[in-house]
Amino acid sequence: MIRTILTDAQWERMAPHCLGKDTDPGRSGGDNRLFLEAVLWKARTNSPWRDLPDEFGHWNTIFKRFDDWSRKGVFERIFEAVSDDPDMEYAMIDATIVPVHRHGHGAKGGPQNQAIGKSKGGWTTKILALTDALGNLVRFHLLPGQRYDTIGVAQLIDGIDFDTILADKAFDANWIIEEMNKRGTKIVISQRPKRKHPIQIDREVYKWRHLIENFFCKLKESKAIATRSDKTDRNFSAMIYACAAVINSG
């Protein structure tokens, strides 16, 4: 018997945002909860889709449904629906790098058309994330592993207000400092040693950065996130949204 991941409370919050409900017009889908459990089983194990246990149904049908939901943004909507209003008194930004499995190299156009890059560590993808004061995911952005962490920050913070920003020295960039000063945001970013006029930061508040690091640890408990095997950024993002929805609603 397959061990389920979703609690009844989590499923009740997710169910209204699934496709193919009995209340939807036209053809209804199969058991949406069983399908989500199949996706989360795949995320937890990172086994090939064709190795899904028979209890979930035919693997190819499940994969096609996953791809369809991914294309329609269903997993992102589920994530947003189950995530409570973020506590934006503090916003934390950080990035983590994950290796790309050889199965993840086969997208149309090659890996160069996806957030996959080659560095000394091989083929990797970088997950750049913004969390709230509790360490719950608010947004993320994918980058090729060799790109600088600051490349995706503008997109990450666009349209989001927060009182204080916490980040390590990888994010000590002049344009970020200027943007935060323009917003009137308190800066708690570790300073690079070569900065001519370093900013004095609150060291006690800076220690709270462990919350975003804890989030990455929880996210990487899903092996499909810790090692990317999805060929497209769209499907890899869908897998992140599915796992983060479970984390945020847990």
Side-chain angles (χ1 to χ4, degrees):
M1 185 172 180
I2 299 170
R3 181 173 63 88
T4 59
I5 296 175
L6 296 176
T7 66
D8 290 343
Q10 288 173 316
W11 168 241
E12 286 179 6
R13 297 178 68 182
M14 295 179 183
H17 307 281
C18 295
L19 296 182
K21 305 182 295 296
D22 291 339
T23 54
D24 290 344
R27 178 182 176 276
S28 62
D31 186 330
N32 278 332
R33 183 170 185 174
L34 185 65
F35 166 68
L36 281 179
E37 291 285 3
V39 171
L40 295 172
W41 184 92
K42 159 68 175 171
R44 186 177 71 238
T45 65
N46 204 21
S47 299
W49 286 100
R50 64 178 63 251
D51 289 345
L52 279 170
D54 293 338
E55 292 92 325
F56 289 125
H58 193 274
W59 71 267
N60 195 41
T61 301
I62 295 170
F63 168 71
K64 288 181 178 178
R65 192 172 175 189
F66 169 77
D67 189 63
D68 181 56
W69 283 30
S70 167
R71 179 166 41 83
K72 294 176 179 176
V74 179
F75 293 102
E76 182 176 0
R77 292 199 296 273
I78 289 174
F79 164 77
E80 292 173 348
V82 303
S83 299
D84 296 325
D85 290 337
D87 180 351
M88 300 310 295
E89 181 179 1
Y90 300 95
M92 291 173 265
I93 296 177
D94 204 354
T96 189
I97 291 179
V98 298
V100 180
H101 193 278
R102 61 185 178 84
H103 292 163
H105 294 179
K108 186 176 182 181
Q112 62 270 20
N113 285 346
Q114 307 298 321
I116 298 174
K118 194 171 186 180
S119 59
K120 291 182 180 179
W123 294 98
T124 56
T125 289
K126 182 173 291 184
I127 305 171
L128 178 68
L130 181 144
T131 68
D132 68 2
L134 302 177
N136 293 322
L137 181 66
V138 177
R139 275 184 184 172
F140 70 90
H141 183 61
L142 300 181
L143 295 168
Q146 81 279 10
R147 301 294 296 277
Y148 289 114
D149 293 357
T150 54
I151 295 294
V153 171
Q155 179 177 335
L156 206 64
I157 63 176
D158 182 44
I160 295 184
D161 295 323
F162 41 86
D163 299 330
T164 302
I165 185 170
L166 283 71
D168 64 22
K169 63 173 61 71
F171 299 92
D172 180 24
N174 288 333
W175 76 265
I176 294 178
I177 300 298
E178 292 170 3
E179 175 66 20
M180 294 303 101
N181 285 331
K182 188 187 303 181
R183 292 185 180 201
T185 299
K186 182 178 178 180
I187 299 169
V188 186
I189 299 176
S190 181
Q191 304 290 284
R192 294 182 183 275
K194 294 184 179 180
R195 178 171 283 280
K196 292 182 179 180
H197 304 290
I199 299 170
Q200 296 300 314
I201 67 171
D202 189 325
R203 292 292 173 183
E204 289 302 311
V205 172
Y206 183 74
K207 292 178 182 178
W208 298 349
R209 272 195 61 257
H210 76 276
L211 293 172
I212 190 170
E213 294 170 353
N214 291 350
F215 165 73
F216 281 133
C217 287
K218 292 176 185 176
L219 189 64
K220 288 184 175 182
E221 288 177 2
S222 297
K223 295 180 180 179
I225 309 300
T227 301
R228 170 177 174 167
S229 58
D230 286 294
K231 296 177 182 179
T232 64
D233 293 346
R234 172 169 58 79
N235 281 358
F236 187 50
S237 294
M239 198 65 79
I240 293 173
Y241 279 124
C243 295
V246 175
I247 294 171
N248 279 17
S249 62

